[in-house]
Amino acid sequence: MKMNITETQPTFDIKKPTPRIVFLDYLRVISITMVLMVHAIEIFYLAVDHVSIKAGDEFWVNIMSSPLRACVPLFVMASGYLLVPIKSSPKEFYKKRFARILIPFIIWSVLYAVVPYIFGQDTFAVMQHKITTLLHNFNLESGHLWFIYMLVGIYLFLPIISPWLKVASKRFVEFYLVLWFLSSFHHYLKLAFPDGVFGEVFWNEFHSLWYFSGHLGFIVLAFYFRKFVHLNNKQSRIFGLVIFGVGYAITAFLFGHFLSQTKEIYYVEMAWRFCTPNVILMTIGLFLMFRTITVTNEKVYGIIKELSRLSYGVYLSHLFFVGLSWTYIVQPMALSTPLSILLVTFFTWSASYLLVKILSYLPKSKYIVG
């Protein structure tokens, strides 16, 4: 099939500010909404150390949460589409990106450790332990911040991979992406071969495709779409919908299968892991469809840009409000499961945005909300 180039790629001029890539603002807002909904759905199936779903909720948890698992890969692809290959020196890149993400990350990590103590939910000893834990990892209450650790690792690697991306041919990038996609079957292969695959043993966890695995693949995938894939809008929507549908069907089937076999979180959520082939397919499909969004109406896009601008702060803060929204607003209403999930998401979005918006007026607010 002959592909028609209909997308206008932004040009870069050092004398002019970099033009906004419209669909990335929509993608960020949609992706953060997906993240919030994922955490709202966890109320209905996730206990501390096992899966616990009320009879009748299996369907809603599966059908609503499965497609949302593309949220994190979409965030990563947004970074890849926008940033690589990097156009500044490694020092400048690190300084700019880490100043934006690390300082707010540290502040919110401390808040998640301290606020429960302030409100009498934790003892001083527990708070002290949580603060100490932050020296090497996140706490349970701030589990969503695992994403920042992963993002830091990717940003550290971008100046290393960028020189290759600048000169790599289409076929060579495809070679990388094929091996990356093959590596995404690793979790499933380990079910059949628990002792390890591709050279894994207890003294060597680095299997032969280790260096092609992980979230870095979404960075390269986004670069590949930007440089080499030029579908018109109709083609993007059709191909995107088909690819997403295939990934969604596989994901929902596997989740239902694992849930029928065990209540261990490790296995039940296996089909929802971000670097699995089924989630990769959903991500590709959604990215192709989102890429066709070109709505620049002043009222609509003005709202989207505002929400996109504060999306990092919303991500950092939202876990404070998921439980509160459920406990004090939604649960007393005794509504259906799907409606409850949507309302928890709405109230969490609203409260997080309001808090971050207020904080954004403070001096040096970029160090708090990003």
Side-chain angles (χ1 to χ4, degrees), residues 3 40 265:
M3 306 302 182
I265 298 172

Side-chain angles (χ1 to χ4, degrees), residues 296-363:
T296 55
N297 173 274
E298 184 177 350
K299 291 183 178 179
V300 175
Y301 188 47
I303 294 173
I304 293 298
K305 281 195 295 185
E306 166 72 0
L307 297 179
S308 175
R309 181 178 69 87
L310 298 177
S311 61
Y312 184 52
V314 169
Y315 179 84
L316 291 171
S317 64
H318 79 273
L319 220 57
F320 276 124
F321 301 108
V322 174
L324 292 175
S325 298
W326 164 250
T327 303
Y328 296 106
I329 302 177
V330 178
Q331 187 179 28
M333 297 181 184
L335 302 171
S336 66
T337 295
L339 186 56
S340 295
I341 290 169
L342 293 175
L343 284 177
V344 171
T345 304
F346 171 77
F347 287 120
T348 299
W349 231 125
S350 301
S352 301
Y353 170 77
L354 181 61
L355 173 64
V356 172
K357 183 65 175 177
I358 293 171
L359 293 175
S360 70
Y361 291 112
L362 296 175

Side-chain angles (χ1 to χ4, degrees), residues 19 51 55 58 70 95 100 144 161 171 188 206 212 217 231 269 278 280 355 357 359 363:
V51 171
E58 297 96 336
K95 182 178 180 180
R100 181 179 182 273
H144 64 305
I161 199 173
R171 292 301 182 194
Y188 302 140
F206 305 105
F212 292 89
L231 305 174
E269 288 195 336
N278 44 290
I280 290 173
L355 173 64
K357 183 65 175 177
L359 293 175

